[in-house]
């Protein structure tokens, strides 16, 4: 058992009106050591694996070492989708093998082991084959809290599902091909551009973003900027470490007709 | 005091935009021993007691013994509706006397004592008579956490409110009258049919469901079944132990015009 | 460190679909002593500071002494809005300086110290300047849990932002000018009238409410009153200690066209 209270985070597309989340929490709390459970969100748009992958990426590192991140989105129960356990230096990740852990795995590639969860001894004796969150994922989290070694829970795998890479791709000397990876509830558009892809020097010498025929040349340090209340779109470094595109008091996604997956180019004609 | 952390679950129709749930949690946490509080849901459709009764039924057994399940839906404050405490072998249930505990009580009938909560000594000194969740139900949960005996909290009663029985009724040799008891947020329709009412043998020899003039003859093991992507409705054993009716990727409730309470017949012309 | 588990309440307009709330909780749980975190609500209507101020006012006193109430609504990051810490006899309050703490401060005026949070040593080393909830407010809550004295976190201030006073104003011998301070999700309208402003004796001798040309002369003890099912609006003492205006089974806000901030008069022509 762990010295401090174990923490389990939950990320699902179950919503909060049914008994699904409550039942999972009951399983997690059933025996000591009882974890602290944190809801990341249960409102992932149904089947939107990219959105879930981003949300997990943006939050997981805030939690203390040993935290178990449990994510269930579109588990495809009954199909061939495998349940996975990812182990990094600091965290455990439990999720279906559908790309949900893709971004985290890419960032943690240097310290990553991935297992296909096969040891039914640690699953719930099934009353149903339709609710893996309660009957498989939560029981595996309990096993980890009891100190069961990951290697006892399944078999190492390397061929897990991957979404498109988080890293933008170089097109040519002047252009980098990036994309929208998430749109938040305010309509701000999160790109996969980081400070490693676009430096302050580049911005200072005139680098800009291009979405279709639209150019975004305004960069701001803060979101709120009362001196500049126009509805010109602007870019800023968002709190998840990525460049975001916004419009003052409006939805940039609507105004610019942006959606997850759409291409954004960084142009630096230095 | 309990050795392990007490657990209190909450099930209400209060929503999560107002201060109601927060105020109840404050009362629960006011003094040691501070419980772990789990939200089952606060989004019960207003006054939908059947839906709340099902949600509680589907989740309560996942929690460890001694868990206190506190449910407030349509409490009818100021009317003649009595506050109840139900005690089973493993759990405590606190709710208004409106049928909300009906399904749980039916399942736990062998080990059930029910009390009308009358001892005002354990209520909050009222600042208001309109918020029983905060001023009566939560304080009674606190009293239970402090080890106060149920018999000190009120008087035994047997005439508590009951919804229709969970058990389907036999119509004749070939037909069983069941009903829809819940519709989940995906539009899947949960019936009150269990494996005790409908065996694998019966299904194998051709038993089927009838809703109005519509027959449902397809039974599946899993919800997801990629080989079969038609929009024919099908039945499967849901994670709460009941037979459910679904349509691939659609709302069965909408497509079949099903609603809570509607009759579903099991036809077995063996 | 505190003997009992620390409690942190959260009140934001972040919604629960993004990673924002999860990230704040990760920071709060990062190191022992790990608090119990209670969500008051994350669904404050964007920028509705009055609504947030009321919600906090209605809930804060239910929690045990030493509770840290952390509220982030319209923080205006990057603008001149200051982060504040309010210290009362029993509680800590952390919020932006935009009036959110106004009602609590008015009620706690006798025991209040307010600080402008300036000591960056206790902030998160910034990865972003757009997310004060995670990078400033939550770290300050952690510092308080570790026993850091408020005076070490910032400088005393007295010129913090204030909403309109909670106290109704006397117009003349017969009239008191009050207002709607909150509308709950059922459409019930909470006024700023307390029992100190309107006694049972006054009601008994015929005092009533006036909203525009509409008079509300019916007072009830309970919300539910099955004998009286008309749709005449009525007033009752709500659970937050204020007089509320409601209509049986309907939204009083809609029926009477009431909104936050609208004037309500108490007429007592004794």
């Amino acid at each position: 058992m762990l010295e401090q209270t174990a923490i389990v985070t939950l990320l699902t597309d179950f919503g909060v009106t049914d008994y699904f989340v409550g039942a999972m929490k009951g399983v997690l709390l059933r025996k000591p050591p009882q974890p602290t459970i944190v809801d990341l969100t249960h409102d992932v748009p149904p089947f939107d694996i990219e959105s879930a992958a981003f949300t997990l990426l943006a939050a997981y590192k805030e939690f203390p070492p040993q935290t178990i991140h449990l994510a269930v989105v579109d588990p495809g129960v009954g199909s061939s989708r495998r349940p996975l356990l990812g182990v990094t230096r600091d965290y455990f990740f439990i999720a279906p093998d559908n790309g949900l852990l893709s971004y985290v795995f890419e960032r943690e590639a240097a310290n990553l082991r991935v297992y296909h969860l096969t040891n039914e001894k640690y699953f719930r004796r099934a009353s149903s084959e339709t609710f893996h969150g309660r009957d498989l994922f939560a029981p595996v989290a309990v096993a980890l809290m009891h100190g069961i070694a990951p290697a006892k829970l399944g078999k190492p795998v390397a061929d897990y599902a991957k979404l498109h890479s988080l890293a933008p791709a170089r097109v040519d000397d002047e252009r980098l091909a990036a994309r929208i990876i998430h749109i938040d509830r305010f309509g701000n558009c999160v790109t996969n551009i980081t400070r490693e892809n676009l430096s302050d020097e580049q911005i200072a010498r005139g680098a800009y973003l291009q979405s279709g025929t639209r150019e975004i040349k305004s960069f701001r340090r803060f979101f709120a900027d009362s001196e500049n209340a126009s509805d010109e779109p602007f870019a800023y470094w968002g709190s998840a470490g990525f460049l975001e595109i916004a419009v003052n008091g409006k939805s940039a996604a609507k105004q610019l007709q942006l959606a997850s997956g759409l291409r954004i180019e960084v142009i630096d004609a230095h």
Side-chain angles (χ1 to χ4, degrees), chain A residues 125-142:
Chain A
R125 272 158 300 179
S127 67
S128 146
E129 306 185 63
T130 61
F131 192 1
H132 277 187
R134 179 192 65 190
D135 299 342
L136 194 161
F137 294 112
V140 165
V142 170

Side-chain angles (χ1 to χ4, degrees), chain A residues 207-255:
Chain A
Y208 63 92
L209 304 183
Q210 183 145 4
S211 160
T213 58
R214 179 103 194 205
E215 296 174 350
I216 297 160
K217 297 193 167 181
S218 171
F219 286 80
R220 291 200 198 160
R221 192 167 160 220
F222 301 119
F223 189 85
D225 185 347
S226 49
E227 297 99 68
N228 187 341
S230 84
D231 60 357
E232 183 201 8
F234 61 93
Y236 64 99
W237 291 108
S239 53
F242 295 105
L243 197 68
E244 303 187 9
I245 299 168
V247 174
N248 238 350
K250 290 185 185 162
S251 164
K254 277 192 187 156
Q255 179 161 326

Side-chain angles (χ1 to χ4, degrees), chain A residues 39-52:
Chain A
D39 300 302
L40 293 187
T41 183
H42 299 291
D43 288 336
V44 171
F47 312 121
D48 190 344
I49 292 164
E50 277 226 323
S51 171

Side-chain angles (χ1 to χ4, degrees), chain A residues 3 7 13 28 42 55 57 60 87 108 111 127 135 141 151 160 175 182 187 198 202 216 233 248 268:
Chain A
E3 288 273 340
I7 295 175
D13 62 355
L28 291 169
H42 299 291
T55 299
L57 180 73
Y60 81 101
V87 182
E108 297 278 349
N111 294 290
S127 67
D135 299 342
Y160 46 84
R175 294 186 301 159
H182 182 70
L198 183 62
Q202 287 179 283
I216 297 160
N248 238 350
D268 181 15

Side-chain angles (χ1 to χ4, degrees), chain A residues 44-116:
Chain A
V44 171
F47 312 121
D48 190 344
I49 292 164
E50 277 226 323
S51 171
F54 169 78
T55 299
L56 186 59
L57 180 73
Y60 81 101
K61 278 200 177 175
E62 308 302 336
F63 291 85
Q66 306 299 313
T67 293
I68 299 168
H69 296 292
L70 198 170
V72 196
V73 174
D74 179 31
V77 171
S79 75
S80 56
R81 205 154 283 161
R82 303 175 299 184
L84 292 187
L85 168 64
V87 182
T88 66
R89 196 191 61 187
D90 286 342
Y91 302 108
F92 300 102
F93 298 89
I94 304 173
D97 183 17
N98 59 10
L100 204 165
L101 299 177
S102 207
Y103 293 162
V104 165
F105 283 1
E106 187 172 341
R107 189 161 283 179
E108 297 278 349
N111 294 290
L112 181 66
R113 284 168 297 148
V114 182
Y115 300 87
H116 172 200

